[in-house]
Amino acid sequence: AAGPAAKLTVNICSGRPCTIREFAEKICALLGRDCGLLDFGAIPMRPDDLPYQVGSPEAAASVIGFTAAYDLDEMIRRALKDFVDAGD
């Protein structure tokens, strides 16, 4: 059935803002890499670039009962582990 819920966007998120830089630096740190290699600032931001990304978790909580159980660091740790394990 193509009712109103068929067009609903649900963000699977914590609702806490995070910049792309913070996200990338967390990954670098967890991989033990030099974050300077990311070279942030080498290319200027475009006028429509967002300084950070944040989603609203309200629809996920009310529609599907989802609430984030882990913080961003733990989710990145788990994703990296799964990625490395998949390569074995």
Side-chain angles (χ1 to χ4, degrees), residues 45-51:
M45 287 182 65
R46 296 171 295 201
D48 59 343
D49 283 344
L50 298 174

Side-chain angles (χ1 to χ4, degrees), residues 1-19:
K7 296 180 182 184
L8 178 66
T9 299
V10 176
N11 294 308
I12 304 299
C13 62
S14 67
R16 291 187 279 298
C18 180
T19 67

Side-chain angles (χ1 to χ4, degrees), residues 8-81:
L8 178 66
T9 299
V10 176
N11 294 308
I12 304 299
C13 62
S14 67
R16 291 187 279 298
C18 180
T19 67
I20 299 301
R21 181 180 191 144
E22 289 170 315
F23 184 74
E25 287 177 346
K26 286 175 184 288
I27 293 170
C28 279
L30 288 168
L31 291 172
R33 301 286 196 260
D34 175 12
C35 292
L37 295 172
L38 296 171
D39 206 14
F40 277 98
I43 299 171
M45 287 182 65
R46 296 171 295 201
D48 59 343
D49 283 344
L50 298 174
Y52 63 91
Q53 184 66 37
V54 61
S56 172
E58 292 172 6
S62 67
V63 175
I64 61 174
F66 173 85
T67 55
Y70 305 103
D71 65 13
L72 183 59
D73 289 347
E74 181 62 20
M75 289 305 300
I76 293 171
R77 241 186 251 92
R78 287 170 175 250
L80 288 174
K81 181 183 180 316

